[in-house]
Every structure is written in C-alpha cells, then in structure tokens.
Amino acid sequence: MNSLVPVLHPSQVTTIDVTQLHHDSHTRSVVVKTIQDACQKMGFFQVKNHGVSKEVTENALGSLSEFFDLPMDQKTIFLSDDVNKPVRFGTFPIDNLDRVSREFIKIYAYPIDDWIGSWPHNPMDFRENFGKYTMEVKRLSLEILGAIMESLGLSPTYLRSSLEQGMHMIVGNIYPQCSPSSNILGIASHTDHTIITILLESMSGLEIMDFTNNNAWKSVPETEGTLKVLVGNHLEVLSNGLYRSVFHRVTPSAQMSRVSIGSFLSLPMEEMVEPAMELVDEEHPKAYRASSLDEYIKFLFTKEEKSYIESLKI
C-alpha cells in the first residue's frame, strides 16, 4: 500500500451483508438502497457473508501462488499476446529490467466444462480449487447483479439469461514485493470493461478514485472475509450514467508479494449493451451508444488516447 495515499475510513467503505438480501422485503429494500448509494457515489462496495467459504478462497489463492512459484519455463507454456486466447500468461517488466511489477494468468471460466481442460494442470489441485471458486463467485455475481438491477428500478431478473450465459473471465495476479520508495504501480489507473468485477485479494493494495473527494486516490483497507465489487464500464452504460465505473489501480506491498483473483462478468462476447430504455426519457436522454465486449477488445488495438468509456459517450 502506498503510504502517501490516504486510507479510506471504514465508514466510507460500504459493506453489504449478502444474507440480508434474503430477509423480509423491507430489509432487502434497505440493502438495495445502500447498494444504489455506493454505486452512485463510489462505484465500489464490498460484501460479507457472501457464501464463498474461507476454504474455497484460501485454496484458490494458494493454488494461484503455487502456479506463480513455478519455474518460468513452466508458466510460459501459456505465454501469448493474443487477447482472445482462453488461457494466457503474461508479465509486465519494470523499465526493461529483469524484474516485473506483475505476473498474470487469464482464463475463460464459462462454460467451465468447455475450458477447464485447458487450464494449468500444475499445481495438481489448480483446476479443482480454481473451478470451485469460479462456480461460487459466478453464483454470487448473479445474486449481487439481481440487487443492482433492482437498485436501478429494473426487475431483479433484468438481463439475467444473458448474464448467466455471458462471458466470465478469471484473472489471477501476483505483485512481487517492492520497495515503497520505488513508486511502482502493480496496475496503472483504469476502469474495467465488465458489468461488475469481484475481487479477492491476499492483502490490501487496491486503490480507488474517490469521486466524492475531488477524485482523490484512496487506499481500500483490508477487511477479512470480504470480497470487493467494482462497477464496470458496461454497467455505467446500462445505467445511462447513474452508476460510474470506478477508476482503480494496485500498489505492491513492501512486506510481501500480493496475490489477487479478479472475476470479470460480462454479457456474451457479441451482445450489445446499451442504456436500459426504462432509464431513458426527455430529462435523461440516452448518454451512451451501444457496444459489446468484442468491440472493447478491438478498441484495445486502436491505440486511442481517450478511455473506452469516454469513447462511448454521446
């Protein structure tokens, strides 16, 4: 964590108890309103009592750490610059030196039976442990998205079928221990292309742009047992700008390596996302053009200076 960046006070971090979504209608409505406020003000919240067991999360992080500990020649089997490749390993060098700020592995995770056979088989429990986490976090994502849709005044099942059948990508990252004086970022500032991203991390390191405080950078404190939920570009589009995709970045730790798993949920690759017609009227005209995940991937190759979400604004 960057010692120069202030840490969000716990009162500034919205924490949702997922079990309360299953209580009486009044309790659920209060939780849904809390989610609405968090998505509007911060583009970010965290969840507890989410049903993904500690054993499942620890095993997934453990298998990921073991994968990154493998000799480089066993990891570069998956090395590729092809962003469409269903399993892809990569590194980010530091100033052309023989050091990296981040190693990652991206894997397609739905339908899991179609892809799991191509996932790393070393360590031996990688597929089993990652598979369990993948299925649990997909279930959780759909549950959270039901509440998010409801918070927009839409049906909890809005786009449910598309989201169930949509693109689910898991990205495992490791950020090597790094001197605090180096000012190296593990990942530079960006927004995610997704509907939502759910983040599991071994330790704190996530920093978000605080829209409520002159877009200042703030470190997100570690809260044991929670998962972070980030608003992505396509949720911003779907909400017609009511919710903002959160700018975020990662700083490595001076104490030890940091491992994280990002779960990225989107609509099917070529399905278009546009503002929900229920959220468009004379006072709130359509603010974004329709786009797809496939279009986003093509955008990455354009070298366009403006961000993807800015390119979608009408």
Side-chain angles (χ1 to χ4, degrees):
M1 183 180 293
N2 188 340
S3 60
L4 299 178
V5 174
V7 179
L8 283 169
H9 188 273
S11 64
Q12 296 175 284
V13 180
T14 298
T15 303
I16 300 298
D17 184 338
V18 177
T19 61
Q20 293 188 340
L21 290 171
H22 304 285
H23 286 189
D24 59 89
S25 59
H26 172 71
T27 301
R28 180 179 173 90
S29 66
V30 170
V31 175
V32 167
K33 180 62 169 65
T34 303
I35 289 174
Q36 179 189 65
D37 291 344
C39 289
Q40 284 183 322
K41 294 175 182 176
M42 302 289 281
F44 152 84
F45 57 93
Q46 62 186 14
V47 291
K48 66 179 182 178
N49 298 328
H50 42 67
V52 185
S53 73
K54 185 176 181 180
E55 180 183 14
V56 168
T57 58
E58 288 185 346
N59 286 347
L61 288 171
S63 290
L64 182 62
S65 294
E66 290 178 28
F67 171 80
F68 286 127
D69 284 342
L70 293 173
M72 186 58 75
D73 62 347
Q74 294 187 39
K75 294 180 285 189
T76 52
I77 295 170
F78 303 100
L79 187 66
S80 175
D81 291 327
D82 181 359
V83 295
N84 292 299
K85 205 166 182 65
V87 179
R88 185 164 74 94
F89 171 77
T91 65
F92 283 83
I94 300 175
D95 299 329
N96 297 318
L97 301 176
D98 190 24
R99 296 180 297 154
V100 297
S101 62
R102 171 189 172 219
E103 291 183 16
F104 69 86
I105 183 162
K106 295 184 178 181
I107 59 176
Y108 286 8
Y110 182 85
I112 190 169
D113 290 341
D114 290 357
W115 301 117
I116 196 169
S118 61
W119 294 2
H121 57 79
N122 189 11
M124 291 182 61
D125 58 5
F126 185 93
R127 293 177 181 177
E128 178 183 1
N129 290 339
F130 246 60
K132 287 180 179 177
Y133 178 74
T134 293
M135 289 186 288
E136 285 295 300
V137 79
K138 176 71 176 288
R139 171 198 58 74
L140 175 63
S141 297
L142 293 171
E143 184 173 11
I144 290 171
L145 278 167
I148 288 175
M149 296 305 177
E150 191 174 338
S151 75
L152 286 167
L154 305 170
S155 165
T157 59
Y158 187 85
L159 291 181
R160 176 76 179 216
S161 178
S162 291
L163 289 164
E164 286 177 341
Q165 304 300 318
M167 186 68 176
H168 187 205
M169 185 168 64
I170 301 288
V171 182
N173 306 285
I174 188 168
Y175 305 91
Q177 179 181 350
C178 191
S179 167
S181 62
S182 64
N183 294 320
I184 292 171
L185 287 173
I187 296 183
S189 169
H190 68 286
T191 57
D192 291 339
H193 62 272
T194 52
I195 298 287
I196 61 169
T197 301
I198 293 185
L199 178 67
L200 167 66
E201 50 188 353
S202 64
M203 61 185 301
S204 60
L206 175 67
E207 295 181 357
I208 67 167
M209 185 176 285
D210 185 355
F211 302 138
T212 68
N213 185 18
N214 297 317
N215 294 342
W217 283 105
K218 300 286 183 65
S219 293
V220 180
E222 185 173 2
T223 308
E224 186 176 356
T226 63
L227 296 169
K228 279 47 175 192
V229 181
L230 284 70
V231 171
N233 291 332
H234 275 161
L235 180 54
E236 179 172 336
V237 170
L238 175 69
S239 72
N240 202 31
L242 289 173
Y243 295 168
R244 296 177 64 178
S245 48
V246 61
F247 276 92
H248 57 286
R249 65 189 187 187
V250 173
T251 55
S253 168
Q255 284 75 45
M256 63 185 70
S257 294
R258 174 183 180 271
V259 181
S260 70
I261 302 174
S263 171
F264 299 84
L265 191 66
S266 304
L267 295 187
M269 187 70 76
E270 296 182 357
E271 185 167 333
M272 304 300 282
V273 182
E274 60 184 335
M277 63 180 185
E278 296 88 341
L279 303 176
V280 176
D281 55 32
E282 289 187 5
E283 292 184 10
H284 306 91
K286 186 177 179 180
Y288 303 82
R289 64 178 178 83
S291 69
S292 66
L293 180 57
D294 182 60
E295 182 184 289
Y296 165 75
I297 291 173
K298 291 175 181 175
F299 178 87
L300 295 177
F301 294 98
T302 65
K303 310 295 185 183
E304 180 70 46
E305 288 189 10
K306 70 168 64 173
S307 68
Y308 179 61
I309 190 65
E310 287 297 321
S311 76
L312 300 179
K313 292 181 178 179
I314 297 173

